[in-house]
């Protein structure tokens, strides 16, 4: 199946696997499953304690890369160095905050012979939390009302409109359901410190939480689409267990989104299904979710298909997947040597 891809070398970010895991390890696991032992995985890390660095069965070598705030020139320089050593075929970035830079440098990467499969800058902006309500209004999607919070005083306006409970969200990550003004202020200051302004206050929608992982072809179609109902949610709102479900309404919603945006690449829709039967879009994440390995388990290996498309292969859209596939996330102590930690910390390579 995958033998024409011998000696494939793919770089992946998002190697953290804590209580708010990045998608990197799930992406790597999916790629390994499809492409087999001939695949070489290069980890791109930001911190010295991202677990993926030490999981040698999955990641062949890791290089530290500059933080997104350091800009594109530093990133290009570092990736050029890595490419000279590794001869990369493809990079799959997995963090919202790094996508702006990767999209910007994609033409330079292409000149180096490195493929990417990313949305455009315009697509990235369309679904931004700050613009999501306007996007929903324009295209006829249900999206909760929101307020942009630049100062603590802005919270009063939001409370006046939504009352409690409401959801306070960071610009890039994290969301808290708050029930009092004290909790709202605490969440605002915490998220402002972590991600900057605006912090977003969003109307609280009651219902069943459903996520869709999908892969858009950049021409208005989804090549793959798998829906999952959250069964267990952490205090950060992350799915710790979930089960694949099938529903024509969900399929239609994701297809409408792909059609409205011409989305290119992986994305995740976070949806609340209400008692009245409305599907509210809470967020659209511009990359694969951390639970993306479930797509492979259900019969649609989205990271592998993205890799094939990025490398120029024409891929037929998937027609079906298995409902009732369950995932349960768990913690596991991986033992490494302090020398490895010192090596990545001091030299930025392991």
């Amino acid at each position: 199946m995958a033998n024409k891809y011998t000696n494939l070398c793919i770089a992946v970010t998002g190697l953290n696997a804590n209580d708010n895991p990045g998608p990197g390890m799930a992406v790597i696991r999916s790629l390994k499953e499809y492409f087999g032992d001939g695949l070489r995985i290069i980890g791109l890390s930001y911190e010295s304690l991202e677990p993926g660095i030490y999981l040698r069965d999955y990641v062949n070598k890791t290089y530290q890369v500059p933080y997104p705030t350091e800009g594109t020139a530093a990133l290009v320089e570092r990736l050029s160095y890595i490419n000279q050593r590794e001869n990369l075929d493809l990079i799959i970035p997995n963090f919202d905050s790094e996508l702006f830079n990767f999209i910007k440098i994609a033409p330079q990467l292409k000149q180096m012979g490195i493929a990417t499969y990313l949305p455009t800058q315009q697509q990235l902006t369309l679904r931004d939390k700050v613009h999501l309500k306007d996007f929903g209004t324009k295209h006829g999607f249900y999206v909760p009302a929101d307020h942009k919070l630049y100062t603590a005083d802005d919270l009063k306006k939001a409370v006046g409109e939504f009352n409690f409970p409401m959801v306070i969200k960071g610009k890039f990550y994290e969301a808290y359901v708050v029930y009092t003004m004290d909790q709202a202020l605490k969440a605002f200051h915490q998220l402002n410190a972590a991600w900057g302004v605006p912090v977003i206050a969003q109307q609280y929608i009651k219902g069943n939480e459903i996520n869709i992982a999908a892969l858009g072809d950049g021409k208005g179609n989804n090549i793959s689409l798998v829906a999952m109902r959250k069964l267990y949610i952490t205090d950060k709102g992350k799915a710790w267990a979930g089960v694949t479900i099938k529903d024509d309404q969900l399929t239609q919603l994701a297809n409408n989104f792909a059609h409205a945006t011409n989305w290119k690449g992986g994305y995740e829709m976070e949806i609340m299904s209400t008692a009245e039967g409305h599907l509210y879009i809470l967020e659209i994440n511009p990359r694969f979710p951390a639970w993306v390995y479930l797509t492979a388990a259900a019969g649609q290996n989205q990271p592998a298909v993205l890799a094939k498309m990025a490398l120029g292969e024409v891929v037929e859209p998937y027609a079906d997947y298995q409902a009732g596939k369950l995932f349960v996330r768990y913690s596991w102590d991986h033992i490494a040597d302090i020398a490895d930690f010192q090596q990545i910390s001091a030299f930025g390579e392991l």
Side-chain angles (χ1 to χ4, degrees):
M1 190 208 287
N3 55 8
K4 66 174 173 175
Y5 294 105
T6 44
N7 304 325
L8 195 58
C9 185
I10 301 179
V12 179
T13 71
L15 306 181
N16 66 326
N18 52 15
D19 61 338
N20 186 6
M25 291 314 299
V27 167
I28 291 166
R29 194 175 170 195
S30 305
L31 293 170
K32 285 269 193 195
E33 192 160 289
Y34 183 85
F35 293 110
D37 295 339
L39 174 66
R40 182 167 168 83
I41 292 285
I42 302 302
L44 303 177
S45 72
Y46 292 100
E47 306 274 342
S48 301
L49 281 173
E50 291 176 31
I53 299 168
Y54 306 98
L55 297 171
R56 300 291 186 78
D57 290 347
Y58 290 96
V59 182
N60 297 89
K61 178 152 186 180
T62 302
Y63 294 85
Q64 282 197 324
V65 288
Y67 284 107
T69 47
E70 291 182 44
T72 53
L75 182 61
V76 169
E77 191 184 331
R78 183 62 172 160
L79 292 175
S80 175
Y81 166 84
I82 295 166
N83 190 45
Q84 283 164 12
R85 278 150 188 76
E86 302 295 345
N87 200 12
L88 303 174
D89 292 299
L90 168 66
I91 296 180
I92 304 178
N94 292 299
F95 284 137
D96 303 28
S97 52
E98 66 190 358
L99 283 178
F100 180 85
N101 287 347
F102 272 101
I103 291 167
K104 217 167 166 185
I105 68 165
Q108 286 163 277
L109 294 176
K110 195 177 176 184
Q111 285 179 327
M112 292 183 210
I114 305 170
T116 53
Y117 203 80
L118 298 167
T120 63
Q121 213 68 65
Q122 190 189 1
Q123 289 165 345
L124 192 65
T125 306
L126 272 181
R127 43 62 40 205
D128 194 296
K129 290 174 198 181
V130 178
H131 303 123
L132 188 61
K133 180 64 184 162
D134 298 339
F135 170 77
T137 304
K138 184 179 171 184
H139 294 284
F141 294 111
Y142 286 100
V143 175
D146 65 22
H147 266 289
K148 282 73 170 168
L149 309 175
Y150 292 92
T151 67
D153 285 346
D154 292 337
L155 259 174
K156 293 187 185 109
K157 290 180 211 157
V159 172
E161 192 181 327
F162 307 147
N163 220 323
F164 291 108
M166 71 165 116
V167 186
I168 308 288
K169 297 184 161 191
K171 192 161 64 170
F172 291 121
Y173 298 106
E174 295 180 66
Y176 299 98
V177 179
V178 296
Y179 298 87
T180 65
M181 196 59 173
D182 283 349
Q183 287 179 349
L185 283 165
K186 184 184 171 192
F188 170 79
H189 289 304
Q190 211 170 322
L191 294 169
N192 182 15
W195 308 110
V197 291
V199 173
I200 292 113
Q202 197 178 58
Q203 171 194 5
Y204 178 77
I205 305 290
K206 196 171 168 11
N208 285 321
E209 206 169 327
I210 293 164
N211 290 21
I212 299 172
L215 176 59
D217 68 356
K219 302 182 184 87
N221 313 296
N222 285 315
I223 292 295
S224 168
L225 185 167
V226 174
M228 175 273 287
R229 184 161 59 84
K230 291 183 177 181
L231 296 178
Y232 186 90
I233 299 170
T234 68
D235 57 354
K236 285 200 167 117
K238 296 291 145 193
W240 212 250
V243 62
T244 54
I245 57 169
K246 277 190 211 169
D247 183 323
D248 292 344
Q249 260 189 300
L250 294 169
T251 303
Q252 193 59 56
L253 181 69
N255 285 340
N256 290 348
F257 172 77
H259 184 69
T261 57
N262 287 330
W263 191 269
K264 184 182 175 189
Y267 66 95
E268 177 192 31
M269 301 182 86
E270 295 187 21
I271 293 151
M272 197 64 85
S273 174
T274 67
E276 300 80 49
H278 297 317
L279 296 174
Y280 276 86
I281 300 175
L282 304 182
E283 269 180 42
I284 293 166
N285 296 315
R287 35 83 196 157
F288 288 132
W291 57 272
V292 72
Y293 181 68
L294 186 63
T295 68
Q300 297 192 12
N301 191 327
Q302 291 182 1
V305 176
L306 178 138
K308 288 164 74 173
M309 289 164 77
L311 296 168
E313 194 170 324
V314 177
V315 176
E316 285 298 309
Y318 280 108
D320 202 12
Y321 63 90
Q322 254 180 302
K325 279 286 179 191
L326 178 80
F327 87 89
V328 179
R329 202 166 272 158
Y330 62 95
S331 299
W332 182 263
D333 295 338
H334 181 73
I335 307 304
D337 208 291
I338 190 69
D340 289 345
F341 171 71
Q342 288 165 338
Q343 170 81 19
I344 189 92
S345 301
F347 301 106
E349 286 182 36
L350 182 65

